[in-house]
Amino acid sequence: MPGKNLSREEAQQRAAILSVDSYRVHLDVTSAVDPAAATFSSTTTIAFRSSAPGASTFVDLLAPAVRSVTLNGHALDPAAVFDGVRITLAGLAEQNLLVVEADCAYSRTGEGMHRFVDPVDGETYLYTHYEPADARRVFATFEQPDLKAPFGFTVTAPAAWDVYNNAVHEDVTAEGDTRVWQFAATRPISTYLTAVVAGPYHVERDHYRRELADGSTLEIPLAATCRRSLAPYFDADEIFTVTKQGLDYFHQEFDFPYPFGKYDQCFVPEYNIGAMENPGCVTFREDFVFRSKVTEASYEGRANVILHEMAHMWFGDLVTMKWWDDLWLKESFADFMGSFSQIEATKYQSAWITFANRRKAWAYRQDQFPTTHPITADIRDLEDAKLNFDGITYAKGASVLKQLVAYVGRDAFFEGVRQYFKRHAYGNTVLGDLLGALEQTSGRDLTAWSESWLQTAGVNSLTPQITTDAEGRITEFAVVQDGATARPHRIAIGCYDRDTVGGLVRTHRVELDVHGTRTVVPELAGLPRPALVLLNDDDLTYCKVRFDGHSLETLRSGLGEIADGLARALAWSAVWNLTRDGLMPARDYLALVLRFAGQESDIGVLQSLHQQVKAALDVYADPAWRSEGARLLADCALRELRAAAPGSDHQLAWARFLAQTAREQEQFQLLRGLLAGTARIDGLDVDQDLRWLFWLALASSGEAGTEELDAELAADNTASGRQNLTECLAALPTAEAKAAAWSAVIDSDELPNALVEAQITGFNQPGQRELTAGYAERYFALLEDIWSERSIEIAMRIVGGFFPRYQISEQTLAAAEAWLAEHSSAAPALRRLVLECHDDLARALRAQSCDRS
């Protein structure tokens, strides 16, 4: 394989002849405090065996320089065996000892050893992130998940720093102005799960204790860290509360004691993802340290992520997929268990509503791309793996697991999981290993279920087909299933009618299995036709829900009156899917939001509606009507902001939405007045994060300039402040601002990942189509260079972020099609990204046609 990639076949060949006994890794990061220092010292000692003495293999390493390579006591010439990506090892013995001394690079992309300097106090912070294959940026490694081994780390760091690792530290020795941290060996884990976090982090500590069934006591030290400048905002007590609730729950259900000793949770800067399940040393994006007021949905979301990562300690860390084909064995389960445990163990009781409205929307979108794939995907190489951390692997997989629990029964599901952990602890598995355990405990043959749900791509639509007699009673009720493959669905059908006060409440519920393209439901025959029929009530399966005409008219006049929060969220999800599919005009969806969003009690659903209706306006609405729709949305945001309860989450959500939709001078003047303190809305605290949202609204509309933005930075010269300033400057509606943002990302690779994201987001404003139209041709011309020259993380951001998504025209669609046709040999992962962007564009054109008609 060329470049930095690694194929599945190569990994299989290597695993067939190798087993790894241990790693010892010594990192010297004392140079990190010197901004001019680009590298750190890394020494790796690997003890491994070969079942084929005399064979050759390779060890992975991405490093600027290798100083020495010693195999079984023999020095190898680095210039001869290291090509910048791999070290070739020839003439293996049965027992082998490899020592590699290298200079590895500090990262600004969030891959490998990321270095960050806090603008508040000048302190330097380090952390690692590897998934799927960036441990090789920090130490020499057999970079594949099925070559597990114990890891022992030694880290030399500045004396004022603390260092965190997967294991407890056994010794800390002072040596002049440094300290040497010696960590215990871990249990066998995969390379991508190792972690080092180092710097002057603020730390809070707690302790978890549990009496186990065998009479022993489990003790788990807990720690939570963040940068010192964020310490005043760090609500560690709430984090520890959720952590303990999760540990209680998973011990109860999994019956396998937490296997990794301590439990550190480190909140780190410029993190590329939400969090990473490094055993004993979980890393989170520091956006979860809330420095300004956030809604309850944000706390619920953080709790979900904490529990998601904790579930990984068993699903993924204790038992790990053999190769990335079976990524679902960890991510689908963690996504499911995050919501499942949240409902059963914490105060956050809206998890399934959030899942139905947010997570599944992600899955539905991904599953309708031409690049859709089964939950158990065909992962040919590492680039494929990187792109498959997607809505199918996470949210569709979790949806399918929710249905599986209903199918085999909760008790049988968890008993199968317990047996799976005990049978495969510290090992690697494939699809059949888990299904086999579940078949044993449930007594069900899961072969057909697996073929339909795990091994087949695509989403089905379920539509009610109802006939009635002259008195309005149902004579036949059927569920019609559309889709490339008809699947078995366990669903509930809810019948809703008005109660005495006008609310829509469920009057009948039928639960059944849907098979084939048409399933008759005799239980509903003879009932009066209800005002609303909701298929997949209670959200038992994964499907797109359609409505009969009568039900759709009920929703137009009464969606907000559905009394049950989950049912209402499902209705919102269904009408959004109709809009995306070009079956409901965008202006009709907007009308539903205008009429009923103010009544929505669930704050998470409300914030989803804000995101979706803005997308409907910007992408799916007829351009000739867009201005009118924008006026209606902005007026709605201002009206609901003034009407919201003072100090409420809803008030904050509407204030944020006003910042996204403001377009009239009256609205801009209110934002300016709130910033200056000359205007007031009772209960609304215009804190720092809200200030930046207001400034972004003013900047992107040409209502604020660089001097005012620089003055705001002076008052908030933090990492967050600098990211916000960067986005605001890139969002200014001038040709100069667009050119500067484009150049900052394309013409240099010096920007850190967080500022790359800020530049791209500011550049691509939906209301500035004329300013960015000229960049489309340049975008397509540079794609292959970007993919070959940048790290995959940054390349993905550029390819997806700079795609001319708001140039919604046949011309742009043709340009994307031409690039795909002319670059058939481009990297498959790059082609997948462009193809998905092309598909989004084609969908937008279809939706706009629907809105015009």
Side-chain angles (χ1 to χ4, degrees):
M1 296 293 293
K4 302 171 185 176
N5 213 340
L6 172 72
S7 74
R8 177 177 50 205
E9 287 71 25
E10 288 177 306
Q12 290 171 342
Q13 291 166 8
R14 189 160 61 176
I17 65 169
L18 299 185
S19 56
V20 186
D21 295 317
S22 68
Y23 284 81
R24 290 297 309 178
V25 180
H26 184 192
L27 307 176
D28 185 338
V29 295
T30 53
S31 62
V33 295
D34 178 5
T39 63
F40 58 93
S41 172
S42 170
T43 301
T44 309
T45 302
I46 312 175
F48 66 100
R49 285 165 286 147
S50 172
S51 62
S56 296
T57 190
F58 62 92
V59 70
D60 303 287
L61 181 64
L62 298 177
V66 170
R67 285 179 274 114
S68 70
V69 179
T70 304
L71 178 63
N72 299 328
H74 301 291
L76 308 180
D77 180 7
V81 298
F82 178 57
D83 63 2
V85 176
R86 298 173 176 183
I87 298 172
T88 300
L89 305 175
L92 298 178
E94 184 175 347
Q95 300 281 343
N96 298 275
L97 189 69
L98 173 70
V99 182
V100 178
E101 296 181 356
D103 295 322
C104 294
Y106 293 113
S107 165
R108 295 308 313 274
T109 67
E111 301 155 294
M113 179 72 76
H114 188 83
R115 175 168 60 178
F116 172 85
V117 178
D118 191 338
V120 174
D121 55 19
E123 295 284 5
T124 300
Y125 294 88
L126 302 177
Y127 64 84
T128 59
H129 177 70
Y130 300 145
E131 192 175 42
D134 282 319
R136 55 189 173 153
R137 296 180 183 271
V138 175
F139 57 93
T141 168
F142 296 113
E143 193 75 286
Q144 57 191 79
D146 59 341
L147 288 177
K148 284 185 166 184
F151 285 81
F153 278 81
T154 302
V155 181
T156 302
W161 286 16
D162 289 328
V163 181
Y164 302 86
N165 175 245
N166 307 91
V168 297
H169 63 265
E170 294 180 321
D171 186 48
V172 182
T173 305
E175 295 183 1
D177 58 356
T178 69
R179 285 193 294 175
V180 180
W181 296 70
Q182 185 80 36
F183 293 92
T186 68
R187 302 301 296 264
I189 58 176
S190 300
T191 55
Y192 76 92
L193 292 168
T194 60
V196 171
V197 177
Y201 284 90
H202 169 79
V203 61
E204 302 278 353
R205 298 190 182 277
D206 205 328
H207 201 79
Y208 175 82
R209 179 187 178 94
R210 183 179 179 86
E211 302 298 324
L212 300 178
D214 63 2
S216 63
T217 300
L218 178 68
E219 304 273 357
I220 304 177
L222 307 177
T225 76
C226 69
R227 285 186 289 129
R228 285 181 181 174
S229 62
L230 288 178
Y233 313 106
F234 197 37
D235 55 339
D237 287 346
E238 168 66 11
I239 291 166
F240 287 137
T241 295
V242 174
T243 302
K244 293 175 185 178
Q245 290 169 333
L247 288 169
D248 272 340
Y249 183 78
F250 291 132
H251 280 110
Q252 170 188 310
E253 297 297 343
F254 293 165
D255 191 31
F256 195 110
Y258 171 71
F260 298 110
K262 66 182 178 67
Y263 201 81
D264 298 341
Q265 296 176 97
C266 302
F267 294 78
V268 298
E270 298 183 331
Y271 206 45
N272 284 329
I273 60 174
M276 180 63 204
E277 67 268 19
N278 315 305
C281 189
V282 184
T283 40
F284 295 82
R285 67 184 307 127
E286 67 179 18
D287 299 41
F288 289 123
V289 180
F290 306 125
R291 68 174 194 155
S292 294
K293 181 180 178 180
V294 296
T295 68
E296 184 74 1
S298 295
Y299 288 100
E300 178 201 296
R302 183 178 66 183
N304 184 282
V305 174
I306 289 171
L307 296 170
H308 175 118
E309 302 309 323
M310 188 179 294
H312 272 310
M313 299 299 126
W314 291 266
F315 284 111
D317 295 0
L318 174 67
V319 184
T320 312
M321 71 272 153
K322 187 178 291 288
W323 177 250
W324 302 100
D325 306 70
D326 285 307
L327 180 60
W328 80 284
L329 280 172
K330 73 185 191 77
E331 293 303 349
S332 298
F333 277 84
D335 215 44
F336 168 72
M337 290 306 307
S339 295
F340 197 89
S341 61
Q342 197 168 11
I343 290 287
E344 300 211 351
T346 78
K347 67 181 181 181
Y348 301 105
Q349 294 299 295
S350 297
W352 287 130
I353 295 175
T354 303
F355 183 81
N357 196 255
R358 283 177 175 256
R359 300 297 284 180
K360 290 181 82 169
W362 180 30
Y364 294 142
R365 176 176 180 266
Q366 190 76 45
D367 210 8
Q368 293 176 87
F369 282 138
T371 57
T372 187
H373 57 85
I375 295 172
T376 55
D378 179 23
I379 304 299
R380 297 161 296 185
D381 53 42
L382 292 177
E383 289 190 356
D384 277 358
K386 184 72 172 178
L387 267 64
N388 263 45
F389 289 82
D390 61 15
I392 295 172
T393 302
Y394 283 74
K396 181 180 179 179
S399 302
V400 167
L401 288 174
K402 187 180 181 184
Q403 181 171 227
L404 179 61
V405 173
Y407 182 61
V408 304
R410 175 194 166 116
D411 292 344
F413 175 81
F414 278 107
E415 182 56 33
V417 163
R418 294 178 196 117
Q419 292 189 19
Y420 173 74
F421 292 146
K422 290 169 184 172
R423 193 174 299 160
H424 300 288
Y426 307 107
N428 296 85
T429 56
V430 294
L431 168 66
D433 295 316
L434 180 64
L435 293 185
L438 292 173
E439 286 180 333
Q440 287 182 346
T441 57
S442 69
R444 286 181 177 267
D445 183 348
L446 296 178
T447 303
W449 180 88
S450 173
E451 289 175 353
S452 294
W453 282 108
L454 300 180
Q455 296 163 268
T456 305
V459 57
N460 303 109
S461 297
L462 299 184
T463 305
Q465 193 176 78
I466 306 169
T467 57
T468 58
D469 60 19
E471 285 75 37
R473 292 189 174 274
I474 298 173
T475 56
E476 186 182 65
F477 189 110
V479 178
V480 176
Q481 179 174 188
D482 295 324
T485 301
R487 294 187 173 95
H489 297 265
R490 184 70 178 175
I491 69 166
I493 301 173
C495 298
Y496 289 77
D497 275 303
R498 299 280 183 183
D499 62 11
T500 56
V501 294
L504 282 166
V505 297
R506 188 165 66 190
T507 55
H508 295 279
R509 180 184 185 275
V510 176
E511 187 170 324
L512 72 153
D513 292 320
V514 170
H515 294 281
T517 58
R518 191 173 190 271
T519 303
V520 176
V521 188
E523 296 92 331
L524 295 177
L527 292 177
R529 181 178 194 137
L532 169 66
V533 172
L534 181 60
L535 300 186
N536 197 31
D537 207 358
D538 298 324
D539 200 30
L540 299 183
T541 192
Y542 171 81
C543 68
K544 292 191 294 185
V545 169
R546 304 306 197 198
F547 299 103
D548 63 285
H550 186 73
S551 295
L552 192 55
E553 286 308 309
T554 298
L555 291 176
R556 293 184 192 278
S557 62
L559 192 158
E561 276 81 54
I562 299 174
D564 180 73
L566 178 56
R568 198 170 59 251
L570 291 169
W572 279 119
S573 173
V575 295
W576 173 239
N577 280 322
L578 288 171
T579 306
R580 289 193 71 249
D581 291 347
L583 300 176
M584 172 181 280
R587 68 189 71 195
D588 287 5
Y589 179 78
L590 189 143
L592 286 170
V593 172
L594 292 174
R595 184 166 184 177
F596 298 118
Q599 300 173 224
E600 180 53 57
S601 58
D602 187 283
I603 187 62
V605 173
L606 176 63
Q607 290 177 288
S608 290
L609 294 179
H610 287 163
Q611 293 173 1
Q612 289 167 352
V613 76
K614 187 68 165 58
L617 179 70
D618 292 336
V619 179
Y620 300 144
D622 177 10
W625 182 82
R626 191 179 290 133
S627 179
E628 173 64 11
R631 182 188 65 79
L632 292 170
L633 271 190
D635 289 348
C636 173
L638 182 56
R639 180 175 65 253
E640 296 295 344
L641 171 60
R642 294 192 184 281
S648 66
D649 283 358
H650 284 65
Q651 183 187 59
L652 177 58
W654 284 109
R656 290 175 173 174
F657 192 53
L658 177 62
Q660 295 175 8
T661 58
R663 64 189 303 276
E664 304 288 349
Q665 280 303 313
E666 174 193 2
Q667 295 148 3
F668 294 139
Q669 288 170 8
L670 174 60
L671 296 182
R672 277 198 167 278
L674 291 170
L675 285 167
T678 57
R680 176 178 173 81
I681 294 177
D682 287 346
L684 183 65
D685 178 18
V686 185
D687 55 26
Q688 190 58 65
D689 286 351
L690 196 55
R691 290 184 65 84
W692 279 116
L693 279 176
F694 289 174
W695 281 119
L696 178 60
L698 294 169
S700 62
S701 302
E703 298 290 330
T706 57
E707 290 185 7
E708 292 172 302
L709 298 174
D710 288 341
E712 189 66 28
L713 179 67
D716 181 35
N717 191 16
T718 63
S720 179
R722 292 187 177 187
Q723 291 171 34
N724 280 298
L725 174 70
T726 299
E727 184 175 345
C728 287
L729 292 175
L732 289 170
T734 67
E736 293 77 13
K738 301 307 167 190
W742 177 272
S743 177
V745 174
I746 299 299
D747 297 338
S748 170
D749 62 358
E750 294 300 313
L751 279 185
N753 51 345
L755 295 187
V756 168
E757 188 70 25
Q759 293 280 14
I760 292 173
T761 303
F763 174 92
N764 226 349
Q765 295 290 305
Q768 299 174 354
R769 291 171 172 83
E770 292 183 2
L771 282 169
T772 56
Y775 289 88
E777 185 176 349
R778 282 190 260 180
Y779 167 85
F780 289 110
L782 58 79
L783 283 176
E784 286 199 292
D785 287 343
I786 290 293
W787 195 258
S788 64
E789 294 169 4
R790 303 296 179 92
S791 73
I792 190 169
E793 181 68 38
I794 299 301
M796 286 171 60
R797 293 187 184 210
I798 294 173
V799 173
F802 274 140
F803 184 87
R805 67 186 66 253
Y806 297 121
Q807 308 300 326
I808 304 170
S809 67
E810 295 292 345
Q811 180 181 359
T812 311
L813 193 69
E817 290 169 352
W819 186 91
L820 289 164
E822 294 164 7
H823 296 81
S824 57
S825 61
L830 171 58
R831 285 182 52 82
R832 172 177 166 173
L833 289 172
V834 176
L835 188 57
E836 290 177 352
C837 290
H838 166 272
D839 191 70
D840 271 337
L841 198 62
R843 179 179 292 271
L845 286 168
R846 293 193 300 271
Q848 288 185 5
S849 176
C850 172
D851 196 51
R852 276 192 296 274
S853 61

